[in-house]
Amino acid sequence: NHGRNQQILDELFGTVVSEDEEEIEYEGLGEDRDFGIDDWEEEDDKGRINRKIDKKEDKKENRKENMLEPEYRQKRRRGKWWYIALIFDVIVIICITYLVVLLMTRGLNSKGLDRVGMSAEKDGIMTTVYLPTVLEDYLAEVATSEGKKAHRLGCSGIDGVAFGPKFGSTSGKEYLTVAYGIYSEKDRSDNDYQVLLQYDTEKWAKYERTLSQDDMHQMGPRKPAGQYFVFTGNTTYGVQNLEYDPFTEAWLMAVYKGVKEHYPNYTLFAADAKARPAKQTLQGIPYIKKGFVVPLKAEGLKDATTGIRGWMWGVGSTGMAALGGGYYYFSHNYNSEQGQGSTIRMYRYTDREDEAFEEVK
């Protein structure tokens, strides 16, 4: 076993150089391959043994003593794993550093939001894009079943906004989705749908301009990628907060309660993101032949007369965010002597008819 013994000792203690390799003898070689070296000599004068354990080790005596300890042999066996762990740590540090730099450079611009009361026009923190479709609907006068009315579809502008996939899909490119604010006029029937426009913002850089309320620019896409209708019955000022939720595959719409008595007037609705929009006749809108209608999900309370589904949910109109995995933040707004404010609380999805969410405490 002379050759194997040489290999084992070389692995444990470094390279062994001999002037006469055939005369090398190792003492203390046990059957369990546990080495105990009692005599560590050099016999250069006889030219028989010339061992060099580690050329880079200056403290040879300490090294010889350490070799006798079981801990040394154990550390030696673990040596390669230590190097692997070190390399892994370096890679992790590099990745974290890159991520921090990426977030800093892709977040707010060089000036950033750093104080209360910044000007959207003068502080360079925002640009704007013109949406002519919204303005056209706001300015239009239409012939409804109740006579001529201002504001096509009851449009008062836009309110709820969110990014999410194209209606009829739960993946792929994300579109900017804007919901109309809609006047709660009880004497007309063309304002009972939620109206949502989807825009592909990939090439919007060419439209961006600094906001000037004294000289509003008109740079923007000629029309949206799609216009969709969700039948909920009229709600006061349309959709206040819009949020796409991948967990339930729904577009959540938090609203102010409507005032038309023949509707259930729920305050939270969930449009089915996965359902393919159907082109059909729109109820109460004689001036549009057909539109793409997105159905509500078959969840929540169901009104027996209209078939509308939703929840009597008291929060969300001043803010909500889907966090993933069925968890959400909802804003609880309040008024006080100091003014208006909001408390943010976490909720989880329940899938109950009477209450969609429960607070996480």
Side-chain angles (χ1 to χ4, degrees):
N1 293 329
H2 167 72
R4 178 59 179 160
N5 294 345
Q6 170 73 52
Q7 181 182 356
I8 293 171
L9 284 169
D10 287 352
E11 291 176 354
L12 284 174
F13 303 122
T15 303
V16 177
V17 180
S18 171
E19 294 178 356
D20 187 357
E21 191 171 0
E22 293 183 356
E23 297 295 328
I24 293 178
E25 295 181 3
Y26 297 99
E27 297 181 3
L29 179 61
E31 293 181 357
D32 59 354
R33 300 175 69 179
D34 187 12
F35 299 91
I37 297 178
D38 298 321
D39 187 15
W40 199 249
E41 299 179 349
E42 287 192 0
E43 301 185 18
D44 291 333
D45 56 327
K46 296 182 180 180
R48 297 183 62 190
I49 300 176
N50 179 21
R51 298 189 177 97
K52 295 182 181 179
I53 296 174
D54 193 337
K55 295 180 180 180
K56 295 182 180 180
E57 181 60 61
D58 294 331
K59 299 179 181 179
K60 294 182 179 180
E61 295 300 326
N62 291 339
R63 183 177 178 83
K64 291 176 184 177
E65 293 177 3
N66 290 338
M67 290 176 185
L68 301 178
E69 300 296 330
E71 291 82 1
Y72 176 83
R73 294 190 296 275
Q74 186 176 8
K75 290 179 180 178
R76 186 75 179 182
R77 296 186 187 103
R78 294 200 306 257
K80 61 180 181 180
W81 299 111
W82 183 87
Y83 286 112
I84 293 174
L86 177 61
I87 294 172
F88 177 78
D89 289 344
V90 171
I91 293 173
V92 170
I93 292 171
I94 293 173
C95 290
I96 292 175
T97 303
Y98 174 77
L99 179 61
V100 170
V101 172
L102 182 65
L103 291 174
M104 290 177 66
T105 56
R106 295 192 60 173
L108 299 175
N109 59 26
S110 58
K111 293 183 179 180
L113 293 168
D114 56 11
R115 63 189 183 279
V116 175
M118 296 185 72
S119 171
E121 297 180 284
K122 300 177 181 179
D123 289 329
I125 57 172
M126 130 185 307
T127 56
T128 58
V129 173
Y130 170 56
L131 303 181
T133 302
V134 180
L135 182 61
E136 289 167 7
D137 283 348
Y138 173 78
L139 295 176
E141 186 179 79
V142 291
T144 73
S145 301
E146 296 78 21
K148 285 189 176 182
K149 300 288 182 181
H151 317 301
R152 183 185 295 122
L153 302 168
C155 175
S156 67
I158 63 171
D159 211 323
V161 296
F163 278 91
K166 190 174 183 179
F167 284 108
S169 175
T170 57
S171 61
K173 178 184 288 188
E174 290 197 335
Y175 290 78
L176 172 64
T177 306
V178 302
Y180 277 12
I182 297 176
Y183 290 114
S184 57
E185 296 168 292
K186 298 174 67 175
D187 61 345
R188 61 190 298 176
S189 56
D190 65 334
N191 61 350
D192 292 340
Y193 286 87
Q194 305 299 345
V195 182
L196 301 109
L197 307 181
Q198 287 200 314
Y199 291 91
D200 181 356
T201 62
E202 187 175 352
K203 299 180 180 179
W204 270 23
K206 61 185 177 182
Y207 301 132
E208 295 175 12
R209 298 292 187 275
T210 301
L211 175 66
S212 172
Q213 297 184 75
D214 296 327
D215 184 19
M216 301 288 279
H217 74 86
Q218 295 186 353
M219 297 298 295
R222 187 174 61 85
K223 62 180 181 178
Q227 182 183 52
Y228 304 92
F229 299 85
V230 184
F231 188 69
T232 62
N234 181 259
T235 59
T236 303
Y237 291 108
V239 176
Q240 292 302 301
N241 265 277
L242 180 69
E243 180 77 350
Y244 175 68
D245 178 24
F247 182 77
T248 59
E249 297 182 332
W251 288 87
L252 300 175
M253 300 179 291
V255 306
Y256 294 149
K257 188 175 181 179
V259 295
K260 292 186 178 182
E261 294 82 359
H262 58 285
Y263 289 124
N265 295 320
Y266 300 130
T267 57
L268 181 68
F269 300 93
D272 193 340
K274 202 171 185 178
R276 185 180 181 87
K279 193 171 186 179
Q280 61 189 47
T281 301
L282 302 175
Q283 300 179 41
I285 309 178
Y287 49 83
I288 296 179
K289 290 183 178 180
K290 290 186 177 181
F292 287 99
V293 176
V294 177
L296 294 168
K297 286 183 72 71
E299 297 180 9
L301 301 170
K302 183 177 181 180
D303 180 60
T305 304
T306 62
I308 295 171
R309 304 197 69 146
W311 295 269
M312 291 296 186
W313 184 242
V315 296
S317 60
T318 57
M320 63 179 174
L323 307 177
Y327 287 86
Y328 310 81
Y329 280 142
F330 281 94
S331 163
H332 290 247
N333 60 295
Y334 61 84
N335 288 314
S336 67
E337 294 181 357
Q338 288 75 32
Q340 297 191 42
S342 177
T343 301
I344 309 302
R345 298 177 185 173
M346 179 180 284
Y347 287 81
R348 68 168 63 90
Y349 183 70
T350 66
D351 196 25
R352 294 202 302 263
E353 280 193 0
D354 59 334
E355 192 172 351
F357 310 95
E358 62 182 7
E359 188 175 355
V360 177
K361 297 182 179 180

